[in-house]
Amino acid sequence: MKRQNYPFTAIVGQELMKKALLLNAINPAIGGVLIKGEKGTAKSTAVRALADVLPPIEAVEGCTFRCDPAEPGLLCRDCLAKQRAGAELTAHTLRMRVVELPVNATEDRVVGTLDLEHAIAEGKKKFEPGILAEANRNILYVDEINLLDDHVVDVLLDAAAMGVNTVEREGVSVSHPAKFVLIGTMNPEEGDIRPQLLDRFGLSVEVIGEHEAAQRVEVIRRRLAYEANPEAFAAEYEQAQTALAEQLATARELLPQVRVADELLLKTADLSIALGVDGHRADITMLKTALTVAALAGRDEATAADLREAALLVLPHRMRRKPFEEATLDRDIVARVLGE
């Protein structure tokens, strides 16, 4: 029996975290989000609740990997073989979902396994899909990502960067599409995260508990109501959930049409230079995020305000820092560069 998720629209506060999750749901090309915060700040609740408002996708019917019929260059071997044989790839609509990766997952469980003996005996590749196959075109969620085995982290980074998972054994290899939005949550008190992984996240958010009494009371009231009767509680937010899902679907359709002026491109570059950000990933991610912020607001042109909002999500974890020093974003520099 499926447990009723806590409604996304019922979460009190944590607006920045919710915004970061919604932006990635609209535009997976942003590159995921890392949510850092103390225990009990709705990190896992928000990620799991996201599943209920994710826009639907078109996928090849019967495909294990939910291949996108609109992207022939990213078809799995089975879909590709059918297409080459002249068969029509029938599409159907699916809901995106959150796939959870256990912190103790082995490499085989993550990437899948290849039966070499079967390949030699039968002359056919026998592949048992792993979590990355499940995650294709979905959200891949890793709780306590800072505690994940280093080798598994490397596998995730490779798949996230390439959009493809390749399993090799004794010269036999199998590849399949693995495009997913990586969402990680962690409690900084339990250890830091590898710099190589940190920079791979498009956005980062730090969350803390509510400090206003009225807000904390509302958190308690809603949680008790949910635990007493999850279905009845969810029904109260059904209209808000539907409206949000429709807003996300509309934003996803609008996104390719959102324009950006050359002046805003220059401000993006100026901002990274002024803050001493390494590489170009921050610039590109800031622009993608600003465009998505505009689409979520229903506008077809990104503004300086959108870029500022994007900077607060994209830059904090990319600031240079000394050992044992927390990275901080100088908001005065952001305001000066953007002319605020």
Side-chain angles (χ1 to χ4, degrees), residues 3 47 67 73 88 121 124 152 183 188 195 214 234 237 248-249 263 272 292 300-302 311 326 334:
R3 177 179 170 81
V47 176
C67 286
E88 185 179 351
K124 295 180 180 179
V152 174
I183 297 178
Y237 291 88
L248 293 181
E263 182 184 356
S272 291
T292 312
D300 62 1
E301 184 168 5
E326 284 294 321
V334 175

Side-chain angles (χ1 to χ4, degrees), residues 65-66 97 99 130-141 177-181:
F65 308 103
R66 294 162 305 283
R97 64 191 185 89
V99 176
I131 292 174
L132 290 182
E134 229 183 310
N136 186 43
R137 305 188 68 205
N138 283 317
I139 304 287
L140 181 59
Y141 170 46
K179 292 182 68 176
F180 52 85
V181 177

Side-chain angles (χ1 to χ4, degrees), residues 94-332:
L94 289 176
R95 297 291 305 178
M96 289 180 68
R97 64 191 185 89
V98 175
V99 176
E100 296 192 35
L101 189 151
V103 74
N104 61 350
T106 62
E107 182 184 356
D108 283 350
R109 178 72 184 91
V110 174
V111 303
T113 57
L114 186 59
D115 190 337
L116 183 60
E117 288 74 18
H118 185 274
I120 294 173
E122 303 293 331
K124 295 180 180 179
K125 298 174 183 177
K126 184 179 180 182
F127 177 64
E128 291 294 333
I131 292 174
L132 290 182
E134 229 183 310
N136 186 43
R137 305 188 68 205
N138 283 317
I139 304 287
L140 181 59
Y141 170 46
V142 188
D143 192 15
E144 299 182 323
I145 194 167
N146 51 321
L147 305 181
L148 199 62
D149 181 78
D150 283 355
H151 186 61
V152 174
V153 169
D154 290 334
V155 169
L156 286 180
L157 290 180
D158 289 342
M162 301 298 294
V164 175
N165 175 44
T166 301
V167 183
E168 296 182 338
R169 187 179 172 197
E170 302 296 335
V172 179
S173 69
V174 172
S175 297
H176 67 79
K179 292 182 68 176
F180 52 85
V181 177
L182 182 60
I183 297 178
T185 55
M186 59 174 281
N187 183 349
E189 295 176 357
E190 296 173 347
D192 210 342
I193 194 166
R194 289 173 59 194
Q196 298 95 319
L197 180 58
L198 189 62
D199 186 55
R200 295 283 185 159
F201 282 100
L203 313 181
S204 72
V205 179
E206 291 200 27
V207 295
I208 58 174
E210 297 294 336
H211 287 169
E212 292 186 9
Q215 290 283 82
R216 293 179 78 97
V217 167
E218 189 59 24
V219 170
I220 297 168
R221 182 181 290 116
R222 293 188 187 185
R223 190 69 201 187
L224 292 177
Y226 168 71
E227 292 179 359
N229 192 330
E231 286 72 25
F233 182 78
E236 294 181 26
Y237 291 88
E238 185 175 355
Q239 187 173 352
Q241 291 280 102
T242 300
L244 179 57
E246 290 174 354
Q247 183 183 6
L248 293 181
T250 301
R252 192 175 261 194
E253 290 180 7
L254 177 62
L255 182 61
Q257 305 166 37
V258 180
R259 304 184 305 274
V260 57
D262 288 344
E263 182 184 356
L264 204 61
L265 290 174
L266 185 59
K267 285 183 181 295
T268 302
D270 286 344
L271 197 51
S272 291
I273 293 170
L275 291 166
V277 178
D278 293 327
H280 300 287
R281 182 177 284 129
D283 305 55
I284 296 167
T285 307
M286 255 195 296
L287 187 60
K288 288 179 180 178
T289 305
L291 292 169
T292 312
V293 170
L296 181 58
R299 289 181 278 104
D300 62 1
E301 184 168 5
T303 65
D306 298 329
L307 183 59
R308 179 185 180 280
E309 193 169 345
L312 299 181
L313 292 166
V314 172
L315 296 178
H317 62 300
R318 292 186 167 90
M319 294 294 95
R320 290 176 181 167
R321 58 179 180 175
K322 297 177 182 177
F324 310 109
E325 182 181 68
E326 284 294 321
T328 55
L329 174 64
D330 191 329
R331 298 194 178 204
D332 290 339

Side-chain angles (χ1 to χ4, degrees), residues 59-60 63 65-84 87 89 136-137 163-164 175-179:
V60 175
C63 177
F65 308 103
R66 294 162 305 283
C67 286
D68 186 351
E71 289 197 67
L74 289 174
L75 296 178
C76 68
R77 56 176 183 154
D78 291 338
C79 290
L80 193 58
K82 289 179 182 177
Q83 189 181 61
R84 286 174 177 169
L89 298 180
N136 186 43
R137 305 188 68 205
V164 175
S175 297
H176 67 79
K179 292 182 68 176

